[in-house]
Amino acid sequence: MMPPREFIMPAQMVIGSGAVEQVGAQCAKRGWRKALIVTDQIMQKLGIVGQVEQNLANHGIASVVYAGVNTEPVVEYVQEALASYHEGGCDVVVAVGGGSPIDTAKAVAVLVTNGGSIEQYKGIGKVANPGVPLVAIPTTAGTGSEATIYTVITDQKTDVKMLIGSPYLMPTIAIVDPMLTISSPPSVTAATGVDALVHAIEAYVSVKRQPMTDVLCLSAIELISSNIRQAWANGNNIEAREKMMLGATQAGIAFSNSSVALVHGMSRPIGAHFHIAHGVSNAALLAVVTEFSLVGDPKRYADIARAMGEPIEGLSLMEAADRAVVAIRRLVRDIKIPSLRQLGVARERLMELAPSMADAAIDSGSPANNPRKPTRQEIIELYAKAYDEGERMVG
């Protein structure tokens, strides 16, 4: 028998080309009067923020802009944006951008009503009260943050990426418009796309999976793996962009309800110590972690291989599961995601930090969701294998 499980997603989603034009109407019909727009300077320069401001104004909604999110989200951005919310007399937060502005906005929304500093909410289930309304408008097909109960904020004092999870972090409205991703350069398309793929893969093999997420995971894996190359090679391929955006959102909903696993547990410390984009560190780990994990649930990894387009008919179960590793390695190579060394990471420094990174990975809880549970030493060894594999692939 299947035990009862919660399934959480935004109260409302608007999905499709041109969806961003509904932001003002969606806010107005709920009686919201003034928005804090949390974004970055790139979105301002591209004119996307101005488009949102004008659409809000057309529906009688004033706005103030905080555009200071210029790296992955940190405590400082949250504090600055929160001050802007209070100074502006706002009653709704609108996030415009990739995962960094959305994660920052989530933290702001719950701090308005819960008080204190974001550091005290590190972990799962520590947010006591619902936040103020939050509208998430993603401009990348990757993090899925527009449809998750998580935010990740880096504490710069400790170089720790703090995972914070609560149903109160789920955006009120997600506006998912693939046209906003056209400006994403190939490197961002590749990194965020792999991030979304990892969300779907890990949610599918997670020990916390459930039937509702299984459907979303397999759809997301197929959509992303069959369209990421085209979106990377030609950013104006609207069909590929639409399918990538849909897959990323499906993956976000899935992992928000089933959690992630070993790749994410190991990836966060790499990002914190070496300031590498989350999708890139995921890509560095995905193949070796999959190879390590597949004996724990070969049927699920065979399903993943099939969803990625691998021919598995006539193969044994383990041979079919192995095809998932083959497909992942080929994909990462095809879209030219750089290796850790190409990004300036020295192997000696990585291995010096590997024991503490392994501890941080275990402390996050994500490795416990893996179909094969790693020991601390095995995680250290996987860091080394991931580095060495990256060198072979680019060499």
Side-chain angles (χ1 to χ4, degrees):
M1 295 178 64
M2 183 178 69
R5 291 287 303 275
E6 286 188 341
F7 187 86
I8 306 171
M9 58 188 295
Q12 184 162 351
M13 303 184 73
V14 184
I15 303 174
S17 296
V20 70
E21 293 298 329
Q22 292 199 31
V23 60
Q26 292 294 330
C27 292
K29 72 181 183 180
R30 291 166 172 81
W32 302 331
R33 304 308 303 164
K34 190 168 186 181
L36 169 70
I37 299 174
V38 179
T39 188
D40 59 40
Q41 293 179 8
I42 294 174
M43 292 300 105
Q44 279 196 312
K45 291 176 182 176
L46 290 172
I48 295 174
V49 174
Q51 181 182 359
V52 171
E53 285 182 285
Q54 186 60 57
N55 191 269
L56 289 169
N58 290 344
H59 290 83
I61 300 167
S63 59
V64 294
V65 176
Y66 172 76
V69 185
N70 293 313
T71 64
E72 292 198 354
V74 297
V75 172
E76 180 184 0
Y77 299 161
V78 175
Q79 293 170 337
E80 291 175 349
L82 180 63
S84 295
Y85 180 95
H86 288 304
E87 291 165 6
C90 301
D91 59 2
V92 59
V93 180
V94 177
V96 180
S100 295
I102 296 175
D103 275 8
T104 302
K106 286 180 172 182
V108 171
V110 295
L111 284 180
V112 171
T113 54
N114 287 272
S117 59
I118 197 63
E119 298 97 308
Q120 72 193 67
Y121 300 104
K122 177 184 176 184
I124 306 300
K126 295 182 179 180
V127 180
N129 304 304
V132 297
L134 171 63
V135 180
I137 307 175
T139 60
T140 61
T143 68
S145 189
E146 70 275 6
T148 77
I149 62 169
Y150 300 104
T151 185
V152 179
I153 306 293
T154 298
D155 184 344
Q156 293 172 299
K157 298 189 297 291
T158 60
D159 259 351
V160 171
K161 282 194 168 189
M162 301 180 294
L163 175 66
I164 302 165
S166 167
Y168 298 140
L169 289 167
M170 179 65 72
T172 313
I173 304 172
I175 295 179
V176 183
D177 187 341
M179 299 302 292
L180 300 182
T181 70
I182 290 175
S183 60
S184 293
S187 61
V188 174
T189 299
T192 57
V194 170
D195 187 21
L197 180 64
V198 176
H199 291 157
I201 289 173
E202 294 210 297
Y204 191 66
V205 301
S206 169
V207 298
K208 295 181 179 178
R209 63 184 179 263
Q210 53 176 296
M212 286 285 288
T213 59
D214 282 352
V215 174
L216 292 169
C217 289
L218 291 176
S219 176
I221 292 167
E222 182 176 355
L223 285 167
I224 295 165
S225 61
S226 62
N227 288 281
I228 189 171
R229 292 173 176 84
Q230 297 93 311
W232 172 80
N234 176 14
N236 293 316
N237 185 327
I238 304 301
E239 182 180 2
R241 290 290 195 186
E242 287 179 338
K243 291 179 177 178
M244 285 291 294
M245 200 70 163
L246 180 58
T249 299
Q250 290 177 340
I253 296 170
F255 92 80
S256 184
N257 286 278
S258 290
S259 195
V260 287
L262 181 55
V263 172
H264 271 76
M266 293 179 61
S267 178
R268 293 186 200 102
I270 292 178
H273 285 287
F274 297 102
H275 309 292
I276 290 172
H278 183 58
V280 174
S281 56
N282 278 349
L285 295 163
L286 182 56
V288 296
V289 169
T290 299
E291 195 168 42
F292 169 85
S293 304
L294 56 83
V295 293
D297 199 338
K299 170 63 170 61
R300 293 244 152 193
Y301 284 103
D303 292 343
I304 290 166
R306 182 186 295 109
M308 293 187 73
E310 290 294 311
I312 63 171
E313 289 70 21
L315 300 180
S316 71
L317 184 58
M318 287 305 299
E319 288 172 335
D322 279 332
R323 297 299 299 182
V325 182
V326 172
I328 289 164
R329 286 182 172 137
R330 184 188 303 122
L331 188 152
V332 172
R333 182 180 64 244
D334 287 352
I335 59 178
K336 300 189 184 304
I337 294 182
S339 70
L340 293 177
R341 182 181 64 80
Q342 287 175 317
L343 292 165
V345 177
R347 192 182 193 280
E348 295 76 14
R349 179 60 176 160
L350 178 71
M351 297 318 299
E352 178 186 339
L353 291 169
S356 64
M357 292 198 303
D359 290 336
I362 292 168
D363 288 345
S364 75
S366 297
N369 301 324
N370 213 55
R372 178 183 174 188
K373 308 296 186 293
T375 65
R376 179 176 185 267
Q377 183 57 38
E378 285 171 332
I379 292 176
I380 293 171
E381 292 168 0
L382 284 169
Y383 278 124
K385 288 181 180 179
Y387 190 96
D388 295 340
E389 170 157 311
E391 290 312 285
R392 289 193 297 271
M393 289 177 66
V394 299

